[in-house]
């Protein structure tokens, strides 16, 4: 499977030595979300292909052994997925959990406000900071969301870029207020840029269609060029109207 990844444009190879002078950043063509979709499809392709060691597809092998492995399959798949996410430790405050200067809240956290038994483990998805998952006693996992509903869903990278731009512009105030303003402004600019790009593409298509139409139309029967060599006389003569 990893061999297929190294065939993609922009791969960094398996080591610095193998990479050599290859300019991965300049040649890369996929965004992270596009790579996520591609990689999910690659996993499906791999699991449905004959494996040289197994002599069958991994899916077929899994089905054959699933009865013996039933005790090892996670009961709560959401908690299993969340367990792979990066984590931080935070205190549950009266106004919620603070992470990256953003406040999060869930009603299930009310009984844990300002408790002296320490911090809780908070997990987050860098691709979407609109929700976090808080690990409580007994392995219970609670989802908490933005306390300020004006903030749109945003990735960690978009958040850091917006806050950096806010500092450069001298914007003051809470991270939440600055973030909401900047993200909305950035997305308005991006949407307007896409609209202009689409309008330009449509305009080019129309101009191209017009040119093709002009090239394909036969000359008018009433106007035919006459090559007389005399530039002082009209180049066309009227045969009939």
């Amino acid at each position: 499977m990893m061999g297929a990844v190294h065939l993609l444009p922009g791969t960094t190879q398996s080591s610095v030595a193998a990479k050599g002078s290859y300019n991965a950043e300049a040649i890369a063509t996929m965004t992270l979300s596009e790579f996520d979709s591609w990689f999910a499809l690659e996993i499906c392709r791999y699991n449905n292909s004959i494996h040289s060691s197994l002599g069958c597809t991994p899916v077929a092998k899994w089905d054959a052994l699933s009865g013996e492995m039933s005790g090892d399959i996670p009961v709560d798949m959401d908690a299993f997925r969340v367990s792979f996410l990066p984590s931080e430790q935070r205190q549950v405050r009266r106004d919620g959990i603070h992470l990256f200067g953003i406040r999060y809240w869930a009603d299930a956290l009310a009984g844990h406000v300002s408790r002296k038994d320490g911090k809780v483990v908070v997990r987050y998805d860098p691709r979407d900071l609109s929700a976090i998952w808080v690990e409580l006693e007994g392995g219970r996992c609670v989802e908490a969301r933005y306390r300020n509903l004006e903030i749109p869903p945003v990735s960690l990278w978009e958040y850091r870029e917006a806050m950096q731009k806010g500092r450069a512009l001298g914007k003051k105030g809470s991270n939440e207020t600055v973030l909401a303003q900047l993200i909305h402004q950035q997305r308005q600019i991006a949407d307007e840029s896409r609209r202009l790009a689409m309008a330009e593409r449509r305009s080019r298509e129309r101009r191209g269609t017009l040119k093709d139409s002009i090239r394909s139309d036969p000359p008018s029967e009433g106007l035919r060029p006459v090559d007389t060599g005399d530039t002082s006389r009209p180049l066309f003569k009227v045969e009939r109207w």
Side-chain angles (χ1 to χ4, degrees):
M1 187 183 302
M2 294 309 297
V5 171
H6 289 312
L7 295 177
L8 291 175
T11 177
T12 56
Q13 302 302 328
S14 57
S15 67
V16 176
K19 178 183 175 183
S21 59
Y22 184 75
N23 191 342
E25 185 174 354
I27 299 174
T29 58
M30 286 187 185
T31 63
L32 184 59
S33 60
E34 289 170 342
F35 175 76
D36 282 347
S37 300
W38 180 92
F39 193 63
L41 292 172
E42 175 61 17
I43 292 174
C44 293
R45 185 200 64 77
Y46 176 86
N47 284 329
N48 286 278
S49 302
I50 301 295
H51 195 281
S52 58
S53 299
L54 298 175
C56 62
T57 66
V59 168
K61 192 66 173 179
W62 175 271
D63 289 339
L65 298 175
S66 59
E68 304 174 17
M69 300 169 57
S70 58
D72 298 328
I73 299 175
V75 177
D76 188 340
M77 293 304 296
D78 287 336
F80 178 70
R81 177 181 61 83
V82 168
S83 68
F84 288 95
L85 297 176
S87 65
E88 299 280 351
Q89 289 192 338
R90 291 292 187 273
Q91 188 78 37
V92 182
R93 305 183 186 183
R94 293 187 179 277
D95 59 349
I97 290 177
H98 293 210
L99 183 67
F100 304 119
I102 303 174
R103 296 172 301 161
Y104 296 85
W105 181 255
D107 290 342
L109 299 176
H112 294 77
V113 173
S114 302
R115 286 177 55 168
K116 297 181 180 179
D117 53 356
K119 299 179 179 180
V120 294
V121 174
V122 177
R123 297 190 180 275
Y124 62 94
D125 187 341
R127 299 167 299 182
D128 183 0
L129 296 181
S130 62
I132 60 173
W133 293 266
V134 185
E135 295 182 10
L136 302 178
E137 68 281 348
R140 190 162 60 107
C141 191
V142 172
E143 180 179 339
R145 291 194 164 270
Y146 290 150
R147 194 177 184 100
N148 184 347
L149 299 180
E150 292 184 1
I151 307 174
V154 60
S155 70
L156 179 58
W157 305 279
E158 192 177 10
Y159 165 82
R160 286 173 173 167
E161 183 180 357
M163 296 312 299
Q164 184 178 7
K165 182 172 292 186
R167 288 191 293 270
L169 294 174
K171 288 185 174 291
K172 297 181 180 180
S174 70
N175 279 16
E176 293 178 353
T177 303
V178 173
L179 177 64
Q181 292 174 350
L182 290 171
I183 292 297
H184 282 305
Q185 290 173 3
Q186 287 178 329
R187 291 182 177 176
Q188 285 176 355
I189 293 172
D191 290 342
E192 181 63 21
S193 177
R194 280 194 291 270
R195 283 194 293 271
L196 291 173
M198 289 176 64
E200 176 61 21
R201 286 197 298 271
R202 286 195 295 267
S203 178
R204 289 178 181 176
E205 288 175 1
R206 289 167 184 158
R207 291 198 298 268
T209 302
L210 179 60
K211 290 178 181 178
D212 292 341
S213 176
I214 292 173
R215 284 195 296 267
S216 62
D217 286 345
S220 171
E221 294 183 4
L223 297 175
R224 295 182 180 175
V226 179
D227 186 6
T228 63
D230 184 357
T231 57
S232 64
R233 299 177 59 186
L235 296 179
F236 297 92
K237 69 175 182 179
V238 178
E239 292 188 349
R240 66 182 178 85
W241 292 95

